Amino acid sequence: MKDFDAILDEHTRYLVRIAYLYVKNWATAEDIVQEVFVTYYQKSDQFRNESSLKTYLTKMTANRAKDYLRSWKHKKDVFFDTVFAQTKGADEEIIQKQQLASLEQKLFQLPLKYREPLILYYYNEQSIAEIALFLELNENTVKTRLRRAKQQLKEFFNEEEMEG
């Protein structure tokens, strides 16, 4: 049990940030990571040390986050957020927009197929080869997606400068 507590302490913050980059909601990200740790605890004997524990838990977190994005619960939450967002007061809307960092906003505007390699490359500091293996893609496909993601972010910021 002591070893499991050490694993929790070492990896929780990192995994919550990874999950958040997928689901865009801190509470949901925390729930996903909690589920990942429960699954790991129940099946830790299946971990074969073919990669580092951090890589293993990151892959579990990414997969669980993708499952959530495909789930009915997520689609229902998005629907209700859209419907009820119109009832928020103007002050609340302004405060919320001010709290969002510009880069985060732009990152989340990217399609998942571009956002994911970007996160893994810059945030998770994985190599092109590691990302290709993780996403089960060709290395050239990963390079293309990274290049397109960076280009789209650049275009977003250029548009913002012209508006402001």
Side-chain angles (χ1 to χ4, degrees), residues 4-136:
F4 187 71
D5 287 339
I7 291 169
L8 281 172
D9 290 342
E10 184 178 345
H11 299 288
T12 298
R13 283 186 63 217
Y14 172 77
L15 293 175
V16 168
R17 289 187 302 219
I18 291 292
Y20 176 77
L21 291 171
Y22 283 93
V23 299
K24 308 174 198 172
N25 180 294
W26 287 110
T28 303
E30 289 170 357
D31 291 345
I32 287 169
V33 171
Q34 187 174 11
E35 291 174 21
V36 165
F37 280 124
V38 167
T39 302
Y40 174 72
Y41 182 76
Q42 292 170 340
K43 300 179 181 180
S44 60
D45 56 320
Q46 294 177 8
F47 177 61
R48 296 185 304 257
N49 288 318
E50 291 174 4
S51 62
S52 72
L53 180 59
K54 183 176 182 178
T55 301
Y56 180 72
L57 292 172
T58 300
K59 183 145 186 140
M60 284 178 67
T61 301
N63 288 337
R64 187 64 58 111
K66 288 181 204 175
D67 289 345
Y68 171 78
L69 290 173
R70 287 188 292 265
S71 73
W72 168 247
K73 181 183 181 339
H74 170 65
K75 291 175 181 156
K76 179 183 62 115
D77 289 346
V78 169
F79 173 75
F80 281 112
D81 287 348
T82 304
V83 169
F84 292 113
Q86 297 165 0
T87 63
K88 286 185 181 177
D91 293 340
E92 203 177 335
E93 198 70 38
I94 291 169
I95 291 169
Q96 186 179 17
K97 285 183 180 180
Q98 289 174 340
Q99 290 176 338
L100 289 173
S102 186
L103 178 60
E104 187 178 83
Q105 284 179 311
K106 303 311 178 198
L107 183 64
F108 287 139
Q109 289 178 3
L110 293 174
L112 184 60
K113 72 178 188 175
Y114 295 142
R115 186 171 68 227
E116 192 171 35
L118 203 63
I119 291 165
L120 294 171
Y121 187 76
Y122 288 104
Y123 183 78
N124 205 17
E125 299 178 353
Q126 290 185 347
S127 69
I128 300 290
E130 289 171 323
I131 296 169
L133 186 65
F134 181 77
L135 297 177
E136 299 173 356

Side-chain angles (χ1 to χ4, degrees), residues 110 145-156 158:
L110 293 174
R145 288 184 180 183
L146 278 170
R147 187 177 65 252
R148 289 180 181 164
K150 288 188 271 187
Q151 183 61 37
Q152 284 188 16
L153 283 176
K154 188 175 179 180
E155 289 170 10
F156 286 147
N158 287 342

